[in-house]
Amino acid sequence: MPMVSPHATDGVLIAVKAVPGAARDQVSGRLGDRLKVRIAAPPEGGKANKAICDLLARELSVRPRDVTVVHGAASAEKTIHVAGITTIAVESRW
């Protein structure tokens, strides 16, 4: 799967490699076929997933409710759905 691919109905899917326990939340750029995201939140109780979604929403200028984890909620390798944005807009960002 490429880092970003169009979603069947709306928006895009982004392949993410999550690195919890960072000093601050940041998108570190591409790591192979994934987007590397460092987050300060611990990977427990959904805190890391929420932090990833909030960070991507800010970075892509979309509403937080438009960003959801669709695969890999309990894994470091996740697939994130972002509604209301194009593949080109995401790829030009990173």
Side-chain angles (χ1 to χ4, degrees):
M1 174 178 168
M3 184 186 89
V4 180
S5 58
H7 187 262
T9 58
D10 176 40
V12 297
L13 296 174
I14 304 174
V16 169
K17 167 68 172 160
V19 181
R24 63 184 178 100
D25 295 349
Q26 68 180 31
V27 176
S28 298
R30 291 177 182 254
L31 179 65
D33 64 345
R34 296 193 171 271
L35 184 65
K36 186 173 182 181
V37 178
R38 297 176 186 267
I39 43 154
E44 54 193 38
K47 293 176 186 175
N49 289 334
K50 181 175 180 345
I52 290 168
C53 291
D54 290 346
L55 173 63
L56 291 177
R58 280 192 312 272
E59 291 283 328
L60 296 170
S61 300
V62 298
R63 297 172 297 198
R65 71 178 184 207
D66 291 336
V67 183
T68 56
V69 177
V70 292
H71 295 291
S75 172
E77 294 188 350
K78 304 176 184 301
T79 303
I80 310 291
H81 175 253
V82 183
I85 197 164
T86 65
T87 303
I88 294 169
V90 175
E91 287 180 340
S92 68
R93 181 71 178 98
W94 296 290

